[in-house]
Amino acid sequence: VAPAYGIPVLVHSDHCAKKLLPWFDGMLEADEAYFKAHGEPLFSSHMLDLSEEPDEENIEICKKYLTRMAPMKQILEMEIGITGGVEDGVDNSGAAKEKLYSTPQDVFAVYQGLNPISPMFTIAAAFGNVHGVYKAGNVVLKPELLADMQAYAREQIKASTGKDIERPLNFVFHGGSGSEKHHITTALNAGVVKMNVDTDTQWAYWEGLL
């Protein structure tokens, strides 16, 4: 597809929970074999969703896999904090509201764990986002929190290394369907490099069949 249209195309695997790590191992084994033969992996990026696990365990497992992925220049997407709603059989619709918001400290701990291995990772931080589309008022999206996370990481990095990096974190916006334009703009300005839109896309397909 990429050569035919002159555009970059990324092949990405999504939402791998802890119980599915054997599948993740299988994908990486296939990537490594293909990379050895062709100089590039089958997948451009993989996502580990270990947000249901304790943060320390989440980060340690991500470190293990990023170490394998780094030589192939693959991107690891990880999730810290809970995205509400339901997706891929994981139901977080009843999660406590405070769990829907990551803290700057949570996110910087990810940076500290992964950046020494490779800079090629993204963080799906929680800022009130949910999977699916909900009635107005049911979801309180706070993308401005991402800017706070960037500022905290910038301060910590400058204090420890002397380097002043304006936006050291690369974020992923989960549950993007139904988001208002000003929220999307705020998220992009705060370092979001990927936005997941599923429900809106499915609805567009469905409308085409009506």
Side-chain angles (χ1 to χ4, degrees):
V1 174
Y5 289 91
I7 58 171
V9 175
L10 278 70
V11 182
H12 174 72
S13 69
D14 203 22
H15 283 283
C16 179
K18 186 177 180 180
K19 63 184 178 182
L20 298 175
L21 286 178
W23 287 86
F24 201 90
D25 289 326
M27 288 189 292
L28 277 188
E29 287 168 9
D31 281 326
E32 288 163 341
Y34 194 86
F35 182 83
K36 185 176 180 180
H38 302 282
E40 63 179 0
L42 291 167
F43 285 86
S44 313
S45 59
H46 292 292
M47 185 202 173
L48 282 174
D49 183 356
L50 304 172
S51 56
E52 293 185 305
E53 314 306 326
D55 288 354
E56 295 79 6
E57 182 180 3
N58 183 349
I59 294 170
E60 284 302 313
I61 293 175
C62 286
K63 286 169 62 176
K64 169 188 168 184
Y65 283 105
L66 185 58
T67 299
R68 286 181 66 181
M69 296 166 67
M72 297 182 283
K73 297 190 180 339
Q74 287 178 306
I75 299 168
L76 174 66
E77 178 182 337
M78 67 85 68
E79 184 163 346
I80 193 87
I82 291 175
T83 299
V86 181
E87 183 174 64
D88 297 337
V90 178
D91 186 353
N92 288 327
S93 56
K97 288 185 178 180
E98 64 270 15
K99 292 188 177 293
L100 297 177
Y101 303 96
S102 301
T103 68
Q105 292 78 13
D106 295 337
V107 173
F108 188 63
V110 176
Y111 179 90
Q112 286 180 302
L114 300 187
N115 195 66
I117 300 169
S118 168
M120 296 183 69
F121 64 92
T122 57
I123 304 172
F127 53 95
N129 36 333
V130 301
H131 292 125
V133 175
Y134 296 82
K135 291 181 180 179
N138 286 8
V139 178
V140 182
L141 204 60
K142 297 181 179 180
E144 62 272 14
L145 293 178
L146 299 176
D148 295 339
M149 297 169 192
Q150 291 281 19
Y152 181 82
R154 181 181 184 178
E155 290 171 4
Q156 296 300 311
I157 294 167
K158 188 174 182 180
S160 61
T161 69
K163 296 179 180 178
D164 188 10
I165 306 172
E166 184 178 359
R167 293 192 301 189
L169 308 172
N170 292 315
F171 291 117
V172 178
F173 187 158
H174 279 197
S177 291
S179 299
E180 296 178 70
K181 185 177 179 180
H182 69 96
H183 281 150
I184 296 171
T185 300
T186 299
L188 290 175
N189 289 338
V192 163
V193 297
K194 173 175 173 275
M195 179 175 171
N196 293 3
V197 180
D198 181 25
T199 302
D200 280 351
T201 306
Q202 290 187 47
W203 182 249
Y205 290 156
W206 177 244
E207 280 192 312
L209 298 173
L210 294 177

